[in-house]
Amino acid sequence: MTRAPATPPARERLLTAAGELFYASGIAATGVDAVLTRAGVSPATMYAHFAGKDALVAAYLGRRHERWRLTWDEVLAERDDPVDRLLSLFDAVARYRSREGNGRGCAFLAAATELPADHPGHPWLEADTRLLGERLRELASAAGLLDPEEAAATLLLLYDGALNRFARAATTPGLPGDDPLARARRLAAAWIGTQLSDPRAG
Amino acid sequence: MTRAPATPPARERLLTAAGELFYASGIAATGVDAVLTRAGVSPATMYAHFAGKDALVAAYLGRRHERWRLTWDEVLAERDDPVDRLLSLFDAVARYRSREGNGRGCAFLAAATELPADHPGHPWLEADTRLLGERLRELASAAGLLDPEEAAATLLLLYDGALNRFARAATTPGLPGDDPLARARRLAAAWIGTQLSDPRAG
DNA sequence: GTCTATAAGCTGATAGAC
DNA sequence: GTCTATCAGCTTATAGAC
C-alpha cells in the first residue's frame, strides 16, 4: 500500500528543481550542486540521466516550451470567436503564470542572454520564437486581418512588453502594481479593432 | 611626438572592453581575463582601479546608465511640443542604438536576470527603472494627459516590448526585418491621440 | 538494478604577490 | 608584467543501501 512507485521520479525531481532554480536565479548562477541538493539526488544519478549541466539546461527549456504550448492549446480549445482566438495569447500567458508562477518574465529570453549560440538548449529558444510568430500569423489570418504579418508583429511587441514588465518588476519592488498583461491585452484588442474597421490604417 | 598622453586611459580602456564584452556575451559568461586581454591591461592595474569583477560590473552599468540619460537629455533639448517630448523616449533609444549599437536589447534587464539581488551593480538597475517611470510621468503630465500614471505604464509597455524584440531578434536570425522601435512609437502616438481627444478613454 | 553517500580530479576564474 | 596561490564549479570514481 505504501509502496513507492515502480519508477521513482529521480529524473522528474531533477527537472522540477532545475526549473525552479534556473528560472529564479539564472542558469549560469545556479550550480549543479544546488540542483542536486534541492532534488535530493546524488551526482551519479544525475549524470546517469543527463550528459551534463548543458543537457539538463536543454531539458529544462524543452519542458518549459512543451508546457507553454500545451497551455496555449488548452486556451485555444475554449475559444470560438476568431478575434478571441487571436487574443488568446494573453489569456494563455495569464493561465501559464497562475499555474507555473513565472514572476520573472520570459524564461527563453533570459536564457538567450545567458547561453552561447552553440548551446544545446538554443534550439528551444528558436522554437519558442517560431511558435509565437507562426501561430499569431495563422490566427490573424483566420480573424480576417488584412496584414497578418503586421498583426503578428504588433501582438508580439505587446506580448514581449508585458513579459519584460514582469521581469523589471521583479528587480524593483516599488513599481506600480498594475497588470501589464491586462494592459497589453487591452491595447491589442483596441488595435485589432482599428484594423477591422478601417482598412487604410497602418 | 609619439609620446603617450599624460594620463593613460587604462581605466577607460577597461570600461570600454567590459562594456563590449559584458553586453555581447553576458556578464557571467565573460571572464576577467577576456576583459584584460581586450583592454591590454594587466591584472594588477585592474585591481588598482576596481575592487574586483563585481565592482567592474557595477561601473559598467553606471556608465551605461549615465550615457543613456545624457542621450535622452540631448533629444529632449531638441523637442518643444509636449507630445513630441513624451514620445522622445523612442527617439532617444534610436539615437542611443545608432551611437552605441545595442543590438541585444536592454542591458539592465539582461543584467537583472544574471545578477543576484545583493550585487553592487543592482542599484543601477533600479535607477534605470526609476528614471524611466519618473520622466514619463512628468512628460505625460506636461502633455496634458489625464492620467500620467496610465500613460507612463503604456509607454513603458511599448518601450520594453521594443527592446525585447531586439533581444529576440538577436537569437533567432530569421525574423522579419521590421523595426520594433518605429512600431512602438507609432502605437504610442496613436494611443496618446485617443487620450487627448477622448477624456473617457481607458 | 537503481539510487545514495562520499570523495577526489579537473578546469578555469579570481585574486594577490613578486 | 609574470607568475602563482586559492577557490568554486563540473565531472567522475568508489563503495554501500534499498
Side-chain angles (χ1 to χ4, degrees):
Chain A
M1 311 308 178
T2 55
R3 287 277 295 277
T7 54
R11 182 194 169 90
E12 203 57 27
R13 275 180 295 153
L14 280 169
L15 283 174
T16 301
E20 291 164 352
L21 293 176
F22 286 157
Y23 184 71
S25 312
I27 293 171
T30 301
V32 173
D33 291 4
V35 178
L36 293 175
T37 301
R38 176 174 266 252
V41 167
S42 73
T45 304
M46 186 203 124
Y47 286 101
H49 284 286
F50 302 97
K53 183 183 181 179
D54 286 350
L56 181 61
V57 169
Y60 148 68
L61 292 171
R63 155 178 281 218
R64 214 172 162 98
H65 176 73
E66 183 74 1
R67 291 208 180 169
W68 157 239
R69 197 176 57 75
L70 289 174
T71 302
W72 197 1
D73 283 343
E74 192 181 299
V75 172
L76 267 178
E78 305 167 3
R79 304 279 189 279
D80 283 328
D81 179 75
V83 172
D84 281 351
R85 288 175 62 81
L86 182 52
L87 288 169
S88 71
L89 169 65
F90 301 101
D91 305 327
V93 176
R95 184 171 301 185
Y96 186 86
R97 275 177 61 78
S98 74
R99 185 176 289 166
E100 314 266 343
N102 65 335
R104 289 194 64 195
C106 181
F108 299 103
L109 221 24
T113 72
E114 289 198 86
L115 304 185
D118 60 343
H119 191 280
H122 212 268
W124 291 113
L125 312 183
E126 302 171 20
D128 181 62
T129 301
R130 242 182 300 115
L131 176 70
L132 286 166
E134 289 174 3
R135 278 214 178 162
L136 287 179
R137 274 191 294 274
E138 286 173 15
L139 293 171
S141 187
L145 293 190
L146 300 166
D147 191 341
E149 191 72 40
E150 181 84 2
T154 301
L155 264 66
L156 281 173
L157 180 71
L158 294 167
Y159 166 83
D160 271 350
L163 290 178
N164 226 356
R165 293 309 297 164
F166 287 128
R168 223 180 267 273
T171 72
T172 308
L175 288 187
D178 72 328
D179 180 4
L181 209 48
R183 183 180 303 279
R185 195 190 198 281
R186 260 183 283 136
L187 288 170
W191 182 85
I192 292 172
T194 69
Q195 293 301 104
L196 288 173
S197 61
D198 180 5
R200 291 169 299 105
Chain B
M1 309 310 175
T2 54
R3 289 276 295 275
T7 53
R11 182 194 168 89
E12 203 57 26
R13 276 179 295 152
L14 278 170
L15 283 173
T16 301
E20 292 163 352
L21 293 175
F22 286 157
Y23 185 71
S25 312
I27 293 172
T30 300
V32 173
D33 289 6
V35 177
L36 292 175
T37 301
R38 177 173 264 253
V41 168
S42 72
T45 305
M46 185 202 124
Y47 287 104
H49 284 287
F50 302 98
K53 183 182 180 179
D54 286 350
L56 181 61
V57 168
Y60 149 69
L61 292 171
R63 154 179 282 219
R64 214 174 161 97
H65 176 74
E66 182 74 0
R67 291 209 180 168
W68 156 239
R69 197 176 56 75
L70 288 173
T71 302
W72 197 0
D73 282 343
E74 193 181 298
V75 172
L76 266 177
E78 303 167 6
R79 303 278 189 281
D80 283 329
D81 179 76
V83 172
D84 281 351
R85 288 174 63 81
L86 182 52
L87 288 169
S88 70
L89 170 64
F90 301 101
D91 305 326
V93 176
R95 185 172 301 186
Y96 186 86
R97 274 177 63 77
S98 73
R99 185 176 289 165
E100 314 265 344
N102 64 336
R104 288 194 64 194
C106 181
F108 298 104
L109 221 24
T113 71
E114 288 198 86
L115 303 185
D118 59 344
H119 191 280
H122 213 268
W124 291 114
L125 311 183
E126 302 171 20
D128 180 62
T129 302
R130 242 182 299 115
L131 176 70
L132 286 166
E134 288 174 4
R135 279 214 177 162
L136 287 179
R137 274 191 294 273
E138 286 173 16
L139 293 170
S141 187
L145 293 190
L146 301 166
D147 190 341
E149 191 71 40
E150 180 84 2
T154 301
L155 264 67
L156 281 173
L157 179 70
L158 294 167
Y159 166 83
D160 271 349
L163 290 179
N164 225 354
R165 293 308 298 164
F166 286 128
R168 224 182 266 272
T171 72
T172 308
L175 289 187
D178 70 330
D179 180 5
L181 209 48
R183 181 181 304 279
R185 195 190 197 282
R186 261 183 281 138
L187 288 169
W191 182 84
I192 292 171
T194 69
Q195 294 303 105
L196 289 173
S197 61
D198 180 5
R200 291 171 298 104

